[in-house]
């Protein structure tokens, strides 16, 4: 490039017509599972079990609902979203490169975007929900873009394999530890009836009646989510690194070219993802008992298989995207896709609809619900965000969180996606 030539402006965000259906459908439907997975923590007046985030000792229907959520949702959804997040990073980067944007400017855009996600996550935690994952993705994205964005495919697959291997090793060792402890102690109380200190720690920001002190507790607890769930569990970094590789091959944009891979991944991933949490579900139902010291090992198994299950969910939506090639999405598909296009706004919207209504510092409704009724509440919350997203889709508007993020990230003049010239974002 001529040194006197002005830098190529950043290319603006993609238009709806340019978006592949699979990622948006996946985000939209998985936000339903996120609502179902998060809302049990709002049952702040109940004693929660050692093995999960669900209340212990409820009735048959409530326990059955909790067991289903343990299998299909808990620790399965956030690795799936991490994969889609990493996939989007590469899409954004390649889009800028295709528009002629310099390497330095494209990486600076990604860096600003990830720093903003950390800031958005902190605000979300302070005001509403300490379990925010936006900041966790921003932190991991900031690190992995610096380390892996330009690395070879072999390097990406090697490190994804290392992460998966470490999680698998941890799961195997935990099972061996559980067997040893069970033999040494001769069984013990079921975790389904054994609330623990960790559950009390998680409930504190929601059970606090003083709204100012509740905010302090939320922002103090949030870093443990960012560091622990974002980095230390390895599931999020592994999913993002694998997504870097997948995005280079346009697996979700052109799923019809990758059908055998997607079929194998969906079948194996979902099967493993649903089998892994079965011990925790059985413990919660009181059908098996283990010593309290061994309860956590099954959470490690659930975490490791959650990564595989999350990738399996992604592959399933890739197959759906291939099936929909050249076909209209239909009314329901279009509505779900509208949620997926505004996933950050709808994710924060869930907290807006849950925290003030369910928490002790708000209306305190969470004290009067059980797991089954809370699941119905979660579905209602998701339907409300779906209606909101559909209204914005019909008006041709982006979600408010997406608008704010893009205006702050694309700080200077950007190029119109259709090539019509620069526009200010």
């Amino acid at each position: 490039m001529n040194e006197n030539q002005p830098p190529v402006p950043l290319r603006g965000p993609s238009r709806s017509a340019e978006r592949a259906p699979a990622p948006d459908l996946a985000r939209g439907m998985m936000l339903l599972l996120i609502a179902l997975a998060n809302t049990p923590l709002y049952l702040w007046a109940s004693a929660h079990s050692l093995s999960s985030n669900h209340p212990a000792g409820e009735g048959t229907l409530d326990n059955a609902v909790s067991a289903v959520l343990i299998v299909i949702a808990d620790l399965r959804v956030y690795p799936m979203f991490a994969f889609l997040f990493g996939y989007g990073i590469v899409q954004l980067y390649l889009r800028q490169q295709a528009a002629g944007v310099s390497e330095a400017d494209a990486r600076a855009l990604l860096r600003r975007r990830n720093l903003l996600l950390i800031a958005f996550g902190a605000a979300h935690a302070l005001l509403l929900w300490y379990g925010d994952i936006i900041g966790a993705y921003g932190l991991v994205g900031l690190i992995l873009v610096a380390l892996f964005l330009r690395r070879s495919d072999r390097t990406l697959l090697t490190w994804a394999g290392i992460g998966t291997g470490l999680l698998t090793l941890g799961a195997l060792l935990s099972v061996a530890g559980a067997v040893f402890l069970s033999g040494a102690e001769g069984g013990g109380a079921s975790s389904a009836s054994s609330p623990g200190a960790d559950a009390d720690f998680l409930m504190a920001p929601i059970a606090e009646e003083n709204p100012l002190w509740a905010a302090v507790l939320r922002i103090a607890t949030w870093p443990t989510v960012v560091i622990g769930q974002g980095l230390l569990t390895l599931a999020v970094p592994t999913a993002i690194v694998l997504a870097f590789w997948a995005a280079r091959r346009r697996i979700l944009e052109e799923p019809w070219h990758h059908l055998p891979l997607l079929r194998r991944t969906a079948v194996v991933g979902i099967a493993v993802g649903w089998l892994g949490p079965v011990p925790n579900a059985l413990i919660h139902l009181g059908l098996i008992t283990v010593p309290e010291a061994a309860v956590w090992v099954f959470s490690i198994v659930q975490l490791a298989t959650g990564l595989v299950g999350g990738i399996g969910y992604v592959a399933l939506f890739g197959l759906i995207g291939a099936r929909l090639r050249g076909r209209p999405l239909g009314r329901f598909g279009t509505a779900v896709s509208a949620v997926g296009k505004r996933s950050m706004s709808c994710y924060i919207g869930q907290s807006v609809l849950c925290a003030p209504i369910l928490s002790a510092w708000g209306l305190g409704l969470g004290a009067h619900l059980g797991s089954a009724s809370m699941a119905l509440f979660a579905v209602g919350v998701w339907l409300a965000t779906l209606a909101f997203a559909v209204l914005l889709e019909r008006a041709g508007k982006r979600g408010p969180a997406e608008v704010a993020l893009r205006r702050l990230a694309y700080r200077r003049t950007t190029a119109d996606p259709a090539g019509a010239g620069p526009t200010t974002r």
Side-chain angles (χ1 to χ4, degrees), residues 2 36 96 107 129 140 156 177 200 227 242 266 343 345 359 369 389:
N2 191 319
L36 290 167
Q96 298 301 325
R107 292 178 76 93
W129 175 237
V140 179
L156 295 177
D200 294 338
I227 303 298
L242 185 60
S343 57
S345 294
S359 301
L369 299 178

Side-chain angles (χ1 to χ4, degrees), residues 23-32 81 336-337 339-340 343 382:
D24 288 330
L25 288 171
R27 291 186 188 99
M29 283 305 300
M30 288 304 107
L31 277 168
L32 171 58
F81 261 88
V336 173
S337 180
V339 174
S343 57
W382 181 76

Side-chain angles (χ1 to χ4, degrees), residues 57-372:
E58 292 186 299
T60 301
L61 178 60
D62 288 324
N63 281 336
V65 169
S66 294
V68 170
L69 294 181
I70 288 171
V71 170
I72 69 171
D74 290 3
L75 299 180
R76 269 107 199 89
V77 185
Y78 79 90
M80 176 263 189
F81 261 88
F83 183 95
L84 294 172
F85 172 71
Y87 199 98
I89 285 175
V90 175
Q91 285 182 306
L92 189 155
Y93 175 74
L94 294 177
R95 190 164 61 240
Q96 298 301 325
Q97 284 210 318
V101 175
S102 70
E103 169 79 8
D105 285 347
R107 292 178 76 93
L109 171 61
L110 290 173
R111 187 163 54 250
R112 285 196 302 274
R113 188 171 181 270
N114 285 319
L115 288 170
L116 286 166
L117 288 176
I118 296 173
F120 276 46
H124 183 205
L126 176 66
L127 298 175
L128 293 167
W129 175 237
Y130 71 92
D132 164 83
I133 58 172
I134 297 172
Y137 291 166
L139 175 62
V140 179
L142 194 67
I143 295 170
L144 295 187
V145 164
L147 293 177
F148 290 107
L149 186 63
R150 295 296 304 276
R151 304 295 290 273
S152 68
D153 289 348
R154 177 178 295 181
T155 299
L156 295 177
L157 291 177
T158 297
W159 279 98
I162 290 172
T164 304
L166 289 174
L167 284 168
T168 303
L169 178 62
L172 293 175
L173 291 175
S174 70
V175 171
V179 172
F180 173 78
L181 288 171
S182 296
E185 298 185 20
S190 168
S191 66
S193 59
S194 302
D198 182 74
D200 294 338
F201 170 75
L202 290 176
M203 304 310 315
I206 298 170
E208 174 58 48
E209 295 184 0
N210 185 312
L212 294 179
W213 185 240
V216 171
L217 292 175
R218 284 194 300 271
I219 199 62
T221 306
W222 176 67
T224 65
V225 176
V226 173
I227 303 298
Q229 188 166 280
L231 283 173
L232 300 184
T233 61
L234 296 180
V236 166
T238 301
I240 292 175
V241 169
L242 185 60
F244 284 1
W245 172 84
R248 292 178 181 179
R249 278 153 180 74
R250 299 178 60 83
I251 288 176
L252 295 182
E253 293 101 321
E254 301 171 354
W256 45 89
H257 293 320
H258 308 278
L259 291 178
L261 173 64
L262 290 171
R263 289 192 188 107
R264 289 194 300 269
T265 304
V267 171
V268 174
I270 294 175
V272 172
W274 285 4
L275 286 173
V278 167
N280 264 352
L282 295 177
I283 291 170
H284 189 83
L285 291 171
L287 298 178
I288 61 174
T289 61
V290 295
E292 289 189 1
V295 167
W296 282 108
V297 302
F298 294 107
S299 296
I300 297 175
V301 174
Q302 185 159 355
L303 172 66
T305 56
L307 170 64
V308 182
I311 303 303
Y313 284 159
V314 173
L316 175 63
F317 281 98
L319 292 172
I320 293 172
R323 180 85 177 189
L324 291 172
R325 184 185 184 188
R327 302 180 183 180
L329 292 179
R331 184 172 297 178
F332 180 72
T334 300
V336 173
S337 180
V339 174
K341 292 175 186 177
R342 299 158 182 86
S343 57
M344 187 161 70
S345 294
C346 290
Y347 172 68
I348 295 173
Q350 290 185 3
S351 298
V352 173
L353 294 173
C354 288
I357 296 174
L358 300 173
S359 301
W361 56 265
L363 297 180
L365 182 61
H368 307 287
L369 299 178
S371 292

